[in-house]
């Protein structure tokens, strides 16, 4: 294994670990909420906002991103580049989940 491959492998698994830690923190509803609806809300809106669905949405997205980085790392480390093809449906699923859950959260908030 060359040095460059090893560096990329380490970076992938470090990113996976960071995403997993962020996911766990968000499932526990701890720490800064990394969600666009919260970040772009005014201070007054943040106080009134029910943060629970946004924490859950962000936690699931971070968990899926962690899985994606693990797949990338395994594909590179094991030299099984067919694993990389599994990233495409996973990324599409992450994007679809983020969009659908955002719509669902906004519709349930208007009721």
């Amino acid at each position: 294994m060359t040095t460059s491959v090893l560096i990329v492998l380490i970076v992938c698994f470090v990113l996976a670990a960071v995403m997993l830690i962020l996911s766990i923190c968000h499932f526990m509803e701890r720490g800064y909420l990394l969600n666009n609806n919260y970040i772009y809300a005014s201070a007054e809106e943040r106080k009134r906002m029910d943060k629970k669905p946004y924490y859950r949405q962000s936690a699931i997205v971070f968990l899926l991103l962690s899985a994606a980085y693990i797949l990338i790392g395994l594909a590179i480390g094991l030299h099984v580049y067919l694993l990389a093809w599994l990233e495409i449906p996973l990324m599409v699923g992450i994007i679809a989940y983020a969009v659908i859950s955002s719509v669902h959260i906004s519709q349930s908030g208007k009721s």
Side-chain angles (χ1 to χ4, degrees):
M1 187 176 302
T2 64
T3 306
S4 60
V5 171
L6 188 60
I7 290 171
V8 171
L9 192 63
I10 291 170
V11 168
C12 284
F13 286 124
V14 166
L15 285 173
V18 168
M19 295 296 158
L20 186 62
I21 291 168
L22 283 171
S23 176
I24 291 169
C25 289
H26 277 71
F27 272 123
M28 294 174 25
E29 296 181 14
R30 304 268 186 228
Y32 188 75
L33 179 56
L34 296 171
N35 191 295
N36 282 342
N37 290 329
Y38 181 78
I39 292 171
Y40 292 128
S42 66
E44 294 173 6
E45 291 173 335
R46 287 181 183 179
K47 289 178 185 177
R48 291 183 288 130
M49 180 183 284
D50 179 22
K51 297 178 194 83
K52 189 169 186 153
Y54 297 111
Y55 268 116
R56 180 173 167 80
Q57 177 190 32
S58 296
I60 291 171
V61 168
F62 284 131
L63 184 65
L64 292 173
L65 284 173
S66 177
Y69 280 115
I70 289 171
L71 263 176
I72 294 168
L74 288 175
I76 293 170
L78 299 174
H79 300 290
V80 181
Y81 297 109
L82 290 176
L83 282 176
W85 286 100
L86 294 176
E87 297 165 32
I88 295 170
L90 185 59
M91 291 296 181
V92 170
I94 293 169
I95 293 168
Y97 172 77
V99 171
I100 291 169
S101 65
S102 292
V103 170
H104 179 71
I105 291 170
S106 67
Q107 286 178 350
S108 65
K110 291 180 182 178
S111 301

